[in-house]
Amino acid sequence: MGKLKLSLLNKWELDKDYSIVLSSAMLHDSRALVLTSEKKAFNRYCLLEVSPLGVKEIAAWDCDLAWKEEPLLFTDGQNVGLIKAGKEMVYYTGDFSHPEIIAIKDPQSILPKKAQERYFQIVSDSDQIPVCFEDQVYTNQARNFALLEFDREKKQAKWTTYSYIDKKDLNHHDMSSDDCPKIDSMKCWRKELYAFTSGESQTFVNKWGMDYYVLVKISSDGRIIEKLLESDNLKASGKKAGVNGIFTDSPYLILSPLFKNDDWKGKQKLFSLVTRELCDIALPRGMSKHKLQNMTDNFCLTFLYDRGLKELALCQID
């Protein structure tokens, strides 16, 4: 197992009270975009641009039905988009000051009427953008996904499929339940679709732990093509355990343990989609409480959370 060493470019204490990092995207020029919300008004979403020059709020908007209309952030490496409620896209180009509004063609032809979009981190290097949805039962989890086809030249977008992960090939799925696996994060990379699932348990995971976690390559209709990483039956140990996973704008998946008393001692690790190996993370001196949120081949975005989002930082990969 190797170690990824990071050196600090700059970090900033935030002068406004934000809640948490909901999701992020990174551009190839080291800039990062962060989707968050105001701490005292959770239904007011904010989009932050993080660059070597500092942190700038480039958009903020109220959402009366926060859970029903969660936005989703994505990038194509140079430009940035926000998908809102499965119905429209706000597409930022240039200096991000004048976004274009692009209607998504006939969303109800593919999306179920009760499907609600979730902001969980997604990554795509093609015109197919995977999006997480919750359907029927609303507990701020995602158990379904859809693919959005986006033509950047014609500025047109349409949904092409809506599905869930077929769990029958997962070693520790619950055969007594019809629950689909939860989806933490998705990625479309080299024309293949990947998903990270943190099990299927409906219980409060931060209190009781997960039942399993798996990184899979799937088809557009949710069939498992390959399992790249799969846990044991976490409930069998008798102690709380679990790992969340989010994809990045690089070939790495960030794995974050939920509890500090596990084998990883609460420290994040990386999993490479290229080498299929785990990797440790060496944060810059004095930043041991920061968490890695996203990365490209050369740069990383980290954050510090302490009852609210306190700091954001850009680091370089040594």
Side-chain angles (χ1 to χ4, degrees):
M1 181 187 296
K3 180 175 287 189
L4 192 78
K5 295 183 179 180
L6 309 182
S7 59
L8 179 65
L9 291 176
N10 210 340
K11 67 177 178 179
W12 301 269
E13 293 184 10
L14 300 178
D15 56 7
K16 188 173 179 179
D17 288 336
Y18 297 109
S19 57
I20 58 174
V21 176
L22 299 174
S23 65
S24 66
M26 292 200 71
L27 307 181
H28 300 314
D29 61 4
S30 82
R31 288 182 297 164
L33 284 299
V34 172
L35 178 65
T36 183
S37 62
E38 293 186 6
K39 187 176 179 181
K40 294 182 180 179
F42 70 93
N43 62 335
R44 183 169 177 79
Y45 290 105
C46 306
L47 184 62
L48 310 180
E49 179 186 4
V50 186
S51 75
L53 299 178
V55 179
K56 179 174 67 173
E57 186 176 287
I58 60 175
W61 65 97
D62 291 324
C63 182
D64 293 334
L65 301 172
W67 275 23
K68 289 187 176 182
E69 298 180 4
E70 287 180 355
L72 185 136
L73 174 67
F74 74 93
T75 178
D76 57 13
Q78 294 180 322
N79 304 318
V80 177
L82 286 167
I83 301 169
K84 294 187 176 181
K87 299 176 182 178
E88 69 175 21
M89 179 187 299
V90 183
Y91 194 56
Y92 294 86
T93 59
D95 63 0
F96 303 155
S97 59
H98 296 92
E100 299 176 73
I101 308 299
I102 302 170
I104 297 176
K105 184 179 178 182
D106 194 16
Q108 297 305 323
S109 65
I110 297 293
L111 302 182
K113 186 176 181 180
K114 294 186 177 181
Q116 295 184 8
E117 182 181 301
R118 293 292 172 252
Y119 50 65
F120 304 147
Q121 190 153 305
I122 57 95
V123 180
S124 178
D125 65 354
S126 73
D127 57 0
Q128 293 285 333
I129 303 167
V131 180
C132 298
F133 282 87
E134 191 165 12
D135 202 349
Q136 304 300 324
V137 179
Y138 307 107
T139 54
N140 206 28
Q141 300 173 347
R143 297 178 186 267
N144 299 80
F145 69 91
L147 294 179
L148 183 70
E149 186 177 287
F150 178 39
D151 188 321
R152 292 165 172 78
E153 298 299 323
K154 296 181 179 179
K155 303 295 173 61
Q156 295 176 350
K158 64 178 181 179
W159 297 107
T160 60
T161 186
Y162 183 85
S163 192
Y164 58 88
I165 297 174
D166 186 345
K167 67 182 181 180
K168 69 175 184 295
D169 291 324
L170 301 180
N171 287 336
H172 306 293
H173 72 268
D174 184 354
M175 292 182 291
S176 66
S177 168
D178 292 331
D179 290 336
C180 306
K182 293 181 288 188
I183 302 174
D184 279 20
S185 184
M186 297 194 73
K187 178 171 183 143
C188 189
W189 183 57
R190 297 178 178 176
K191 298 184 179 180
E192 295 182 307
L193 190 60
Y194 296 83
F196 184 89
T197 169
S198 54
E200 62 202 70
S201 174
Q202 291 276 11
T203 60
F204 184 43
V205 170
N206 287 324
K207 182 176 181 180
W208 302 108
M210 293 177 182
D211 40 3
Y212 63 84
Y213 61 86
V214 189
L215 168 62
V216 289
K217 183 193 297 184
I218 60 175
S219 64
S220 60
D221 61 357
R223 290 179 294 105
I224 293 176
I225 298 171
E226 181 183 2
K227 290 183 287 187
L228 287 74
L229 184 66
E230 186 172 22
S231 73
D232 295 328
N233 181 358
L234 300 179
K235 296 291 187 182
S237 68
K239 62 179 182 180
K240 295 185 295 185
V243 172
N244 288 324
I246 57 172
F247 291 101
T248 69
D249 289 290
S250 77
Y252 285 105
L253 170 79
I254 301 172
L255 296 168
S256 302
L258 291 181
F259 308 100
K260 294 184 178 181
N261 60 348
D262 65 1
D263 294 340
W264 295 3
K265 308 300 181 185
K267 294 183 178 180
Q268 292 178 308
K269 291 183 185 290
L270 297 172
F271 182 84
S272 171
L273 297 179
V274 176
T275 66
R276 308 292 177 89
E277 294 177 332
L278 288 169
C279 175
D280 288 326
I281 303 167
L283 290 164
R285 184 185 299 273
M287 291 176 58
S288 61
K289 293 184 178 181
H290 269 242
K291 295 294 184 182
L292 188 61
Q293 172 65 31
N294 207 335
M295 57 192 292
T296 62
D297 291 336
N298 300 306
F299 302 99
C300 295
L301 171 71
T302 73
F303 69 93
L304 175 64
Y305 175 85
D306 182 11
R307 290 175 290 183
L309 185 58
K310 299 301 182 184
E311 293 180 354
L312 290 169
L314 288 175
C315 299
Q316 186 169 330
I317 300 172
D318 293 337

